[in-house]
Amino acid sequence: MKHFDVIVVGGGHAGTEAAHTSARAGAKTALITLRKDTIGVMSCNPAIGGLGKGHLVREIDAFDGVMGVAADRSGIQFRLLNRRKGPAVQGPRTQSDRKLYRQAIFDLTVAQPNLDVIEAEVEDLIIKNCKASGVILADGSRISSSAVILTTGTFLRGVIHIGDQRSSGGRMGDKASVKLADRLLSLNLPMGRLKTGTPPRLDGKTIDWAQLETQPGDEIPELFSFKHRTPFVKQISCGITHTNEKTHDIIRDNLGQSAMYGGHIDGIGPRYCPSIEDKIVRFSDKTSHQIFLEPEGLDDDTVYPNGISTSLPVDIQDQYVRSIKGLENVSILQPGYAIEYDFIDPRSLTAALELRDMPNLFLAGQINGTTGYEEAAAQGLVAGLNAALMAAGKVSEVFSRSTSYIGVMVDDLINRGVTEPYRMFTSRAEFRLSLRADNADQRLTPRAIQLGLCGEERKRMFEDKCDKLEAGRNILQNATLTPKEAVVHGFRVNQDGQRRSAYSLLSFPDINFDQLSAALPQLAGIEPDVAAQLSKDALYVNYLKRQDRDIEAMKRDEAWRIPENYDYSALSGLSNELTAKLVKAQPATLGHAARIEGVTPAALALILAKLRQEARVKAL
Amino acid sequence: MDTIYALATARGKAGVAVIRISGPNAWEATRLLAGKLPQPRQAGLRMLHLDGEALDEAVVLCFEAGASFTGEQVAELHIHGAVATVTAVLRALSDIDDLRLAEPGEFTRRALENGRLDLSQVEGLSDLIDAETESQRKQALKVLSGAVGKVVEDWRKGLIRAAALLEATIDFADEDVPVDVSPEVTAALTSVRASLKAELDRFSAAERIRDGFEVAIVGRPNAGKSTLLNALAGRDAAITSEVAGTTRDVIEVRMDLSGLSVTLLDTAGLRNTDDVVESIGVDRAIQRAKTADLRIFLLDGEDVPMLSPSEGDIVVRGKADISTQDEFSVSGKTGQGVQELIERLTDILIHRVQGAGLLSRERHRILLLDAFGALESAQGELCSDLDQPELAAEYLRDAARSLESLVGRVDVEHLLDEVFSSFCIGK
């Protein structure tokens, strides 16, 4: 029987990132997918990044992952969202050429050492001693492994709805794997049901672009990967149009035929991505909704109309789409649909994304109740890394809320669970001012290097950048001005006799690097890139002092690991209520325990005391 | 690491109260109040001052880091146990930069982290955990019932609305949301701030604790007011006689009721009189009685002229020794009913201390002040020319966190609920 350290089932965004991370971490990895040519396929809208999501992609890139690189290679319209706001809330986003994205992922996968791609259907898991230890393929052959990662998206009882028609399946055109699903269902894990939808795909040749306004990309594109500066392919614009009263009338008149409003769907949909039916019912006073017409590729006429996902019957979709300006003669290439699927309550997972009830089995992506390519890939990274660490007999890697959006997401998922498909927002990160897209490498790459996840090129580039930042920071800190000198150069500062460094002046909201550079010639040696980065770092310095204390406290707590299945009942002094909460939540660290509602400093002290005592006993 | 302080002994009336300060600035903070510090581990008698005002005379004890209860630098202030004194010193500490009131269990937690406690000692924490839960429960019930609950609910709504608007412009920048939300956010914050301010102003009970209450005994001439005063005070502070109108001026007696400082006022009996001196006494009696925190109406069968009881005043029948009435009555002469009167008085005053505004606790006052400051900063950010809503949002988060124990946790889900119900998100 063939053996791998880690087997990844599924070749979507979670699967590819998981497989690559595992392989980079040194594990002999197999990626098993139904069809090689669907690796890295974008099943929903052809865009990567955004607010919160762009942060995730940058973090994946900081670990030398693939999503950012592929997004850059295929990006046809880069925009930095919130460009005019502060750097902490700026999020890179791009439209991607669907074909180029898939090609980029495929190329990267072929080039990745330690990684085999196997085209097959996984029918079941091999379970030994209640642990996952490989997979059984549809042809009956078996492959053993130390860990299995399932990234199978919406395959659990997935049902596609168009009007009153329904068919079972994951993505359009894919068959749902039944036995594997039954195996998971037999574990009796807590589950929930979600739904999501897509809009009809339009034929771009039949759109009257001349009547529409367009949205171009940024003049100076901001890419995802810290390795890249400029786009790889031609940049294009999107079209913008709007629904109107007539569109709304058509939809209102046919609501009963919508799968969702006809009572065919019980799953909970995302509130931030409502169907056009939802928008018209819930915001009935709005007479128009904006639609972005996003080309799916440079040599592809398919257009993704972002904003009108639907589960109405095909003929109604035709009617309402044609009521929209610029789309009067449009033809639909593929109708919109809603998909319902089961997800596994992520509270059954550890911080490594391993199933608590089935050791060595990891889950990542939509199966955990999330939505979005970026969320999926980030989980893939966590699962892939931890599966590889486990296979090598090393301790798992816990991502902290205080250092990454990845940590925020995993912590949210495993501690709070989900009620609607989980999507990242910057508002979810309590340390938002520190966790910026621009400093993802400074936050995470050092750890990635320690874990052996970074290639030579990445490592060299990062170290070079750090040297330059360090040198620049030194220049800024050693260049000082007295208040009187500052005033001469037009800087408004308190006349308190205190000399201020250029670095601290840079943290004043109304002083920028160029002004400082004019006053202090020694700053001229700092490269523009480095200056820009240091300006961003300086901007929030005064706001971060208190946050830093909280971060320190959180890190201290997170350094205390709590063993699996910890016996809280042995702690005299904890109330029954609190004990039950802790047993249910199974916090991985003291930091996790602190975030459970009702856990007080006194209760934490009690747990900490016990942990210390046990650590001492072990040391003896 | 923050420097924290808290009352280490039980709250309430006691001979001595100990306030413990722990953390890197413990000695420095103590120096600010006590001046030169005694040698570590040696008791020193010091006068505590803040801004030139004497607070109390205290025994000060310092412990070096590594040789203290928490393992950190520690100072202990052993002060007089009256509630007023303790409150005054705690408040003085709260005014010192970088010092904050300790969370329940925080000293112990630090002691543990620094390896100063063993498990058997920590197991004593179970009592603490129970006590915390109980006090939190009571606090929550108190806060959420009645008029206070309504005020707090408004704060919560205002904060959520303001934060949600800001977050909408941040997280849904490329969606169909208003570009400039600052007018609405400013309006919401202004209203919450005004309400916080009002609540802070109402926090006069703490002042009362420090300055004490005034309680006036009023009644017709010869009702037995002076005799009652003497009985309450336990000594002959006022001259008593059979002659009506013996007390001409206001007589003050300070006494301590369950740790509360109370000044009892004996006043001239109220009647219309032609005697010039007595009528001045009557005017003064009315004046003082009106400004007193509480009045004890001592009846002798007839209503008291010129004054009527307001809510919270005590009405009691006097000369219980010669009266045959069943109603609540006292006799200064025999002491009958005096204890009951003291209990009633104490109950009412303590109730006022706790019930005057929801900010009866020093912790709440500090949290409200913090929240108030954070909201002020948030508004400052909103007015600035720079489009950096993330900074205003940060201050709002601080404010919500300060008010958490009052308004409940405001987390991202609440903000998202508000965003999704207000705006059609999903381009």
Side-chain angles (χ1 to χ4, degrees):
Chain A
M1 188 174 15
K2 258 202 217 163
H3 179 86
F4 288 90
D5 293 327
V6 174
I7 290 176
V8 180
V9 182
H13 303 279
T16 46
E17 207 66 60
H20 274 267
T21 313
S22 164
R24 285 202 308 283
K28 195 161 166 284
T29 307
L31 173 64
I32 307 182
T33 173
L34 288 172
R35 282 170 29 212
K36 269 189 191 172
D37 60 1
T38 60
I39 291 179
V41 87
M42 295 176 149
S43 50
C44 193
N45 67 326
I48 302 273
L51 294 159
K53 288 165 170 281
H55 288 72
L56 285 172
V57 181
R58 280 281 172 85
E59 292 181 356
I60 292 169
D61 189 65
F63 281 95
D64 214 3
V66 289
M67 177 167 264
V69 174
D72 286 346
R73 289 193 193 172
S74 57
I76 52 179
Q77 194 213 41
F78 288 94
R79 284 198 303 132
L80 182 65
L81 304 185
N82 279 339
R83 187 178 273 277
R84 273 194 292 255
K85 300 192 175 101
V89 293
Q90 295 175 352
R93 179 189 193 272
T94 187
Q95 292 286 124
S96 271
D97 178 303
R98 202 182 278 281
K99 217 174 358 173
L100 291 179
Y101 186 87
R102 207 171 63 206
Q103 189 63 48
I105 291 286
F106 186 83
D107 293 346
L108 290 163
T109 303
V110 171
Q112 176 63 47
N114 273 345
L115 178 55
D116 286 5
V117 179
I118 298 170
E119 198 169 70
E121 184 186 354
V122 171
E123 215 172 58
D124 203 351
L125 299 172
I126 303 173
I127 313 273
K128 256 191 217 152
N129 305 326
C130 301
K131 289 180 179 173
S133 56
V135 298
I136 304 170
L137 304 182
D139 64 5
S141 62
R142 301 159 81 91
I143 309 176
S144 74
S145 67
S146 306
V148 178
I149 304 174
L150 290 186
T151 66
T152 43
T154 57
F155 88 123
L156 284 175
R157 288 197 276 240
V159 176
I160 287 175
H161 298 262
I162 303 177
D164 59 0
Q165 298 190 356
R166 47 203 301 181
S167 54
S168 68
R171 268 190 303 256
M172 265 314 235
D174 286 350
K175 57 176 175 174
S177 352
V178 180
K179 272 196 188 166
L180 183 58
D182 286 345
R183 166 68 74 177
L184 266 188
L185 298 177
S186 76
L187 292 174
N188 283 323
L189 299 165
M191 308 243 242
R193 197 152 178 81
L194 295 174
K195 71 149 199 241
T196 184
T198 66
R201 308 303 162 86
L202 311 177
D203 182 348
K205 293 196 297 285
T206 61
I207 294 174
D208 184 4
W209 295 97
Q211 336 179 23
L212 301 175
E213 14 164 351
T214 56
Q215 183 187 45
D218 286 345
E219 258 172 56
I220 305 165
E222 180 97 22
L223 275 67
F224 284 100
S225 177
F226 291 100
K227 297 200 286 193
H228 301 151
R229 286 284 165 274
T230 48
F232 288 70
V233 292
K234 193 179 102 183
Q235 300 296 293
I236 55 142
S237 295
C238 291
I240 296 176
T241 184
H242 297 88
T243 62
N244 53 47
E245 295 277 25
K246 203 175 147 204
T247 322
H248 294 196
D249 285 342
I250 297 170
I251 292 167
R252 246 188 306 260
D253 290 347
N254 292 286
L255 264 186
Q257 297 190 57
S258 156
M260 208 173 55
Y261 283 89
H264 301 291
I265 294 184
D266 333 302
I268 300 165
R271 288 173 300 175
Y272 42 80
C273 190
S275 63
I276 188 68
E277 292 97 301
D278 255 341
K279 289 185 184 180
I280 283 160
V281 171
R282 289 187 41 223
F283 294 90
S284 55
D285 52 332
K286 285 197 76 151
T287 54
S288 173
H289 294 278
Q290 191 166 245
I291 305 168
F292 288 83
L293 298 172
E294 303 174 343
E296 298 209 346
L298 293 173
D299 61 353
D300 182 346
D301 288 317
T302 312
V303 167
Y304 185 97
N306 202 344
I308 51 167
S309 78
T310 183
S311 60
L312 283 161
V314 179
D315 56 323
I316 310 296
Q317 293 189 27
D318 248 327
Q319 270 187 52
Y320 88 71
V321 167
R322 290 187 178 184
S323 71
I324 295 166
K325 187 177 159 194
L327 307 181
E328 292 85 354
N329 296 306
V330 86
S331 53
I332 290 179
L333 295 174
Q334 182 196 303
Y337 59 89
I339 175 164
E340 258 191 306
Y341 56 97
D342 282 356
F343 71 100
I344 290 169
D345 184 339
R347 283 173 293 190
S348 358
L349 300 168
T350 68
L353 299 183
E354 185 181 8
L355 261 182
R356 224 178 269 126
D357 290 349
M358 174 62 67
N360 304 5
L361 184 59
F362 296 74
L363 305 180
Q366 251 176 319
I367 193 171
N368 292 339
T370 63
T371 173
Y373 310 146
E374 304 81 356
E375 287 83 353
Q379 291 170 71
L381 183 130
V382 174
L385 170 61
N386 279 296
L389 289 170
M390 201 206 68
K394 294 181 185 159
V395 254
S396 63
E397 177 76 3
V398 176
F399 288 73
S400 167
R401 297 185 76 91
S402 63
T403 48
S404 66
Y405 275 77
I406 300 178
V408 170
M409 176 175 65
V410 171
D411 191 62
D412 281 348
L413 290 176
I414 66 171
N415 289 318
R416 309 183 62 166
V418 298
T419 49
E420 67 182 326
Y422 180 95
R423 173 177 150 184
M424 185 46 77
F425 301 110
T426 70
S427 46
R428 294 195 192 276
E430 62 269 50
F431 303 122
R432 176 163 64 189
L433 299 185
S434 324
L435 307 186
R436 308 193 307 269
D438 67 77
N439 69 5
D441 56 344
Q442 294 184 63
R443 288 186 275 124
L444 302 170
T445 301
R447 184 64 186 146
I449 292 172
Q450 282 172 2
L451 289 164
L453 290 176
C454 286
E456 275 311 310
E457 184 199 359
R458 169 80 58 169
K459 201 172 145 189
R460 192 181 38 72
M461 281 185 70
F462 176 70
E463 282 165 357
D464 184 46
K465 178 176 174 181
C466 287
D467 291 345
K468 283 184 181 161
L469 285 175
E470 181 64 26
R473 206 175 284 123
N474 278 337
I475 295 175
L476 284 171
Q477 267 156 356
N478 291 326
T480 58
L481 288 175
T482 64
K484 284 203 181 110
E485 290 165 349
V487 168
V488 171
H489 293 290
F491 305 138
R492 280 180 305 159
V493 300
N494 274 347
Q495 293 298 311
D496 51 7
Q498 294 262 321
R499 285 191 91 85
R500 287 182 174 79
S501 72
Y503 195 68
S504 80
L505 287 169
L506 206 49
S507 72
F508 285 53
D510 49 355
I511 299 179
N512 65 37
F513 185 84
D514 291 342
Q515 294 163 322
L516 278 174
S517 195
L520 294 155
Q522 61 268 52
L523 269 51
I526 303 175
E527 289 173 30
D529 269 7
V530 176
Q533 185 60 53
L534 290 172
S535 302
K536 287 174 190 164
D537 291 343
L539 185 66
Y540 295 116
V541 158
N542 297 323
Y543 296 87
L544 291 178
K545 280 181 191 148
R546 192 170 131 192
Q547 225 171 67
D548 284 348
R549 272 204 303 237
D550 293 347
I551 289 176
E552 274 314 303
M554 187 181 279
K555 280 189 183 155
R556 248 193 343 266
D557 282 349
E558 283 175 348
W560 280 100
R561 297 260 189 152
I562 302 175
E564 287 273 307
N565 299 317
Y566 195 68
D567 185 10
Y568 291 96
S569 61
L571 289 170
S572 72
L574 280 186
S575 69
N576 289 337
E577 190 191 343
L578 215 50
T579 307
K581 272 187 183 168
L582 288 160
V583 167
K584 183 154 186 277
Q586 289 284 335
T589 67
L590 202 59
H592 288 154
R595 288 191 287 281
I596 295 168
E597 203 199 328
V599 173
T600 58
L604 282 180
L606 205 58
I607 301 169
L608 177 60
K610 190 80 180 163
L611 290 174
R612 280 183 98 97
Q613 191 193 39
E614 284 157 1
R616 261 201 306 275
V617 170
K618 228 182 242 170
L620 287 177
Chain B
M1 189 65 89
D2 296 346
T3 299
I4 53 174
Y5 65 90
L7 183 64
T9 45
R11 227 185 150 80
K13 190 187 169 191
V16 175
V18 177
I19 291 173
R20 187 179 275 149
I21 310 164
S22 176
N25 294 328
W27 288 8
E28 190 47 46
T30 309
R31 213 186 320 270
L32 281 173
L33 298 186
K36 190 170 179 293
L37 297 183
Q39 289 298 308
R41 300 186 158 262
Q42 287 182 19
L45 191 62
R46 296 287 185 276
M47 200 64 199
L48 304 184
H49 290 273
L50 183 72
D51 301 330
E53 190 195 343
L55 300 168
D56 193 20
E57 192 164 50
V59 171
V60 176
L61 261 172
C62 296
F63 300 89
E64 288 168 301
S68 70
F69 167 61
T70 57
E72 302 174 326
Q73 193 182 79
V74 164
E76 284 182 2
L77 309 175
H78 297 233
I79 57 176
H80 293 100
V83 176
T85 317
V86 172
T87 307
V89 177
L90 285 177
R91 196 183 272 200
L93 288 168
S94 80
D95 288 343
I96 298 175
D97 279 350
D98 293 331
L99 238 63
R100 66 171 174 80
L101 200 57
E103 300 288 327
E106 204 172 358
F107 283 103
T108 319
R109 170 83 198 265
R110 290 190 177 191
L112 191 69
E113 285 191 339
N114 295 319
R116 308 294 301 176
L117 284 183
D118 64 27
L119 188 61
S120 64
Q121 285 169 294
V122 175
E123 278 172 353
L125 278 173
S126 56
D127 297 340
L128 179 61
I129 296 171
D130 287 347
E132 270 174 37
T133 327
E134 184 55 19
S135 73
Q136 278 166 4
R137 194 183 61 80
K138 280 189 184 156
Q139 193 64 39
L141 282 177
K142 198 167 103 188
V143 165
L144 294 177
S145 62
V148 170
K150 171 79 176 65
V151 172
V152 166
E153 186 52 35
D154 286 348
W155 294 349
R156 182 181 166 82
K157 276 194 189 141
L159 282 178
I160 290 181
R161 178 69 186 168
L165 286 168
L166 284 177
E167 296 297 349
T169 62
I170 293 172
D171 267 331
F172 303 100
D174 54 340
E175 301 268 4
D176 206 359
V177 296
V179 179
D180 184 13
V181 293
S182 44
E184 198 187 336
V185 175
T186 306
L189 295 188
T190 305
S191 137
V192 174
R193 266 183 67 201
S195 177
L196 286 180
K197 181 79 172 55
E199 202 54 51
L200 277 165
D201 289 345
R202 228 170 287 151
F203 188 55
S204 59
E207 306 298 333
R208 277 279 159 267
I209 295 172
R210 196 193 310 197
D211 304 341
F213 289 90
E214 274 190 358
V215 175
I217 304 172
V218 295
R220 288 161 49 83
N222 212 6
K225 297 181 294 296
S226 300
T227 312
L228 179 61
L229 175 88
N230 290 342
L232 288 169
R235 63 187 165 93
D236 283 345
I239 303 164
T240 56
S241 78
E242 299 294 315
V243 183
T246 306
T247 305
R248 295 287 172 97
D249 204 349
V250 178
I251 293 170
E252 302 188 6
V253 174
R254 278 180 86 89
M255 58 187 291
D256 183 309
L257 292 179
S258 293
L260 298 172
S261 159
V262 175
T263 303
L264 282 175
L265 308 176
D266 181 22
T267 58
L270 302 179
R271 66 170 169 186
N272 287 312
T273 173
D274 295 333
D275 182 325
V276 181
V277 179
E278 188 184 352
S279 84
I280 293 172
V282 169
D283 283 349
R284 261 186 208 172
I286 293 173
Q287 201 66 35
R288 289 296 294 272
K290 277 185 176 164
T291 56
D293 295 286
L294 188 150
R295 286 145 295 276
I296 298 173
F297 279 78
L298 194 62
L299 303 187
D300 58 353
E302 289 179 59
D303 275 349
V304 176
M306 300 167 186
L307 261 183
S308 49
S310 25
E311 207 187 321
D313 285 350
I314 296 175
V315 181
V316 62
R317 183 152 189 100
K319 297 188 177 168
D321 47 321
I322 53 170
S323 147
T324 52
Q325 302 281 341
D326 289 341
E327 58 196 307
F328 175 39
S329 55
V330 293
S331 163
K333 216 175 204 168
T334 62
Q336 182 190 335
V338 168
Q339 195 51 42
E340 195 188 342
L341 178 61
I342 289 178
E343 278 165 18
R344 236 195 238 203
L345 180 59
T346 312
D347 273 359
I348 292 172
L349 295 182
I350 284 183
H351 187 72
R352 286 200 189 170
V353 169
Q354 291 171 342
L358 69 105
L359 301 171
S360 51
R361 300 174 66 178
E362 179 66 2
R363 185 181 298 279
H364 284 160
R365 191 187 66 87
I366 293 172
L367 291 175
L368 247 77
L369 269 179
D370 286 350
F372 187 77
L375 292 184
E376 208 166 21
S377 305
Q379 284 188 307
E381 291 295 346
L382 285 172
C383 299
S384 96
D385 303 337
L386 297 161
D387 185 14
Q388 293 197 337
E390 73 273 20
L391 297 178
E394 202 61 32
Y395 284 121
L396 277 189
R397 216 178 276 208
D398 286 348
R401 217 160 59 154
S402 294
L403 293 180
E404 190 172 299
S405 61
L406 292 172
V407 307
R409 186 172 286 189
V410 173
D411 74 20
V412 62
E413 289 304 325
H414 302 120
L415 305 188
L416 292 175
D417 285 346
E418 179 73 25
V419 170
F420 295 137
S421 63
S422 306
F423 306 114
C424 184
I425 302 291
K427 63 172 189 185

